[in-house]
Amino acid sequence: MTDMENALYVVATPIGNLGDITLRALETLRSVDLVACEDTRHVRHLLDHHGIKVPTLALHQHNENEAAEKLIRLLGEGRCVALVSDAGTPGVSDPGARTVAAVRAAGFRVIPLPGPSAAIAAMSASGLVDQRFLFVGFLPAKVGARKTAIAELAPVDAALVFYEAPHRVMETVVDLVELLEPQREIVIARELTKMFEQIERMPLAAAPAWLAADANHQRGEFVLVVSAPPPREGMDAETERVLAALLSELPVKQAAKLAAEITGQPKNALYARALQLKDA
Ligand code: SAM
């Protein structure tokens, strides 16, 4: 062991290209006493690739509580441990949150080592995320629950980011087309950082046909990024922004009155919109 701090290190690992690992992540994985990981064989591949020899411990959704207790015992003995997932950032649609919460509650330090995450990679190359985004992760697998979830997301004033499995990507995209405004656009990002990476932007309505056009278009791992909803009729984005900013500081009535003075828009419409924003 080097003179590392006694802590849990949460380490992001590649989402496809083994080269996508930070210098700090390599140094940490080399120096810790143990690496807790979802699938020990999977992480061994990464460790072997970088010539790192370190014991591993399986920590997955079915044994996370017990595994976290083991980590806490090791931390109590003054050891340093790392937590990784199969790919990307632990805790992002992956196990990790319960472990981190338990370790923090036990009074130990948790140190994040940022790196790859499929959601961030897709967003960064989508050109669709200008301001706010909502990371949804996986939608429910059952049709009814999925449609309800999408309907609830429809009015959210933010770009939406989904993870999806290849066998469900078509159904999900068809539901998005059915339930979201037709003006919205989608970026289908598949196999990011891998040999057959594709990042395709299109109107939402065109996505099912694109997926159907080639069997390869439905293979691999997917992130779907959907642009934010179009600005509501009669209210431009700047008016919305002013209103939202005022609402964050003032009561609804006062915010609407001031927004009307600043933007020249009708006070009633601003008041109605302010109520909606507050409820949301
Ligand atoms: N923790 C990971 C992260 O930070 O991105 C996500 C793990 S989640 C169990 C796996 C999902 O992430 C996949 O089903 C897919 O939706 C997305 N994903 C992971 N790697 C990907 C890649 N190389 N290209 C596109 N999507 C990917």
Side-chain angles (χ1 to χ4, degrees):
M1 253 294 301
T2 59
D3 53 357
M4 284 185 90
E5 185 175 343
N6 168 226
L8 173 71
Y9 295 81
V10 182
V11 183
T13 57
I15 57 168
N17 185 323
L18 285 180
D20 289 335
I21 187 145
T22 67
L23 296 174
R24 191 170 163 226
L26 288 177
E27 200 179 303
T28 300
L29 293 174
R30 246 184 220 117
S31 310
V32 290
D33 299 293
L34 180 87
V35 176
C37 50
E38 275 190 277
D39 180 337
T40 51
R41 281 166 310 170
H42 192 98
V43 80
R44 186 59 61 202
H45 179 59
L46 173 75
L47 296 173
D48 286 350
H49 180 82
H50 293 286
I52 298 173
K53 293 194 192 324
V54 58
T56 56
L57 168 82
L59 182 153
H60 42 72
Q61 56 172 340
H62 305 294
N63 79 342
E64 187 167 357
N65 294 345
E66 301 89 293
E69 276 172 29
K70 274 188 208 159
L71 296 190
I72 290 168
R73 275 202 296 279
L74 287 170
L75 288 165
E77 291 165 10
R79 310 290 176 99
C80 300
V81 291
L83 172 67
V84 304
S85 60
D86 279 352
T89 301
V92 178
S93 292
D94 260 339
R98 275 188 277 158
T99 303
V100 165
V103 167
R104 291 173 63 84
F108 295 101
R109 197 166 162 210
V110 176
I111 301 178
L113 271 70
S117 185
I120 301 294
M123 276 190 274
S124 73
S126 73
L128 288 185
V129 185
D130 197 18
Q131 291 192 1
R132 293 198 282 173
F133 69 84
L134 175 66
F135 173 68
V136 182
F138 292 100
L139 283 163
K142 293 206 171 122
V143 184
R146 185 172 61 233
K147 288 195 178 191
T148 305
I150 297 172
E152 282 170 7
L153 291 167
V156 176
D157 191 16
L160 302 173
V161 183
F162 303 96
Y163 282 165
E164 198 44 280
H167 60 281
R168 261 201 296 269
V169 68
M170 179 60 104
E171 294 174 39
T172 292
V173 162
V174 166
D175 289 347
L176 292 173
V177 173
E178 184 191 321
L179 295 160
L180 301 181
E181 283 114 323
Q183 298 96 318
R184 297 178 83 159
E185 289 189 281
I186 188 168
V187 163
I188 301 180
R190 61 176 282 268
E191 294 293 86
L192 290 166
T193 77
K194 302 187 201 176
M195 190 184 295
F196 297 110
E197 176 180 272
Q198 267 188 313
I199 303 168
E200 294 289 328
R201 176 174 176 165
M202 63 201 81
L204 189 49
W210 184 84
L211 286 172
D214 180 336
N216 287 323
H217 290 178
Q218 287 180 59
R219 295 208 170 106
E221 299 196 275
F222 289 85
V223 183
L224 306 173
V225 184
V226 178
S227 61
R232 272 144 210 93
E233 253 176 43
M235 200 162 293
D236 60 286
E238 178 61 9
T239 304
E240 282 256 348
R241 197 185 62 75
V242 169
L243 184 61
L246 291 168
L247 255 185
S248 67
E249 300 291 336
L250 298 170
V252 172
K253 224 170 177 178
Q254 232 178 319
K257 184 168 173 285
L258 263 180
E261 278 171 25
I262 294 168
T263 64
Q265 298 290 324
K267 203 164 75 185
N268 286 358
L270 286 163
Y271 183 65
R273 181 68 188 130
L275 283 176
Q276 280 178 347
L277 287 175
K278 193 147 193 281
D279 284 343

